[in-house]
Amino acid sequence: MILGVVDDDFSFPGDLLAAQRRLSAAEAEHVALCRALPSRARAAQRRPRGGPPPGEWVHEQADHERRVRARVLELAEAVHGHPYWQSLPPDERAAARSALRRHGPDAPAAAAATLAA
């Protein structure tokens, strides 16, 4: 196991840290995407110049949202199902998960670069 970061109390493997960074980036992308999506009522009233009819426009955006949400779930499963957690006593796992989440958004540029990986 290659250690990536030693927290005050926990030593996280590098692949777990990378997965957490990708998860944080995917969660941020999903939140931004959802905030930018129009409501169905507003989408039906407007249409981008030269773009598809509003129904198709909304479906395309909804498809994109589903893909991003699926990526978030996939990464969450990778983080939460990582073998590292089994190496910790059960009473330390919650604190370790909280500590790991603090490492997620520390490197937004690295997270954005690894999101595509």
Side-chain angles (χ1 to χ4, degrees):
M1 182 183 301
I2 299 172
L3 295 181
V5 169
V6 177
D7 191 78
D8 290 341
D9 298 311
F10 306 101
S11 298
F12 298 111
D15 63 329
L16 179 58
L17 284 168
Q20 178 61 52
R21 287 187 180 117
R22 288 191 306 269
L23 174 58
S24 295
E27 288 172 331
E29 179 184 1
H30 188 251
V31 167
L33 176 63
C34 288
R35 285 184 181 150
L37 285 174
S39 69
R40 286 197 176 264
R42 283 196 319 255
Q45 293 172 351
R46 65 182 188 185
R47 177 179 176 176
R49 190 173 286 232
E56 292 177 34
W57 186 47
V58 171
H59 291 304
E60 183 179 299
Q61 289 175 318
D63 288 343
H64 180 67
E65 185 276 333
R66 278 190 286 278
R67 286 190 303 273
V68 173
R69 182 169 23 104
R71 180 77 173 138
V72 168
L73 293 173
E74 172 189 320
L75 290 165
E77 288 175 3
V79 169
H80 293 286
H82 194 279
Y84 171 75
W85 303 118
Q86 297 305 314
S87 72
L88 296 176
D91 61 330
E92 292 181 16
R93 291 178 189 161
R97 287 182 198 271
S98 293
L100 178 66
R101 284 200 60 88
R102 286 193 298 271
H103 290 286
D106 283 351
T114 58
L115 181 60

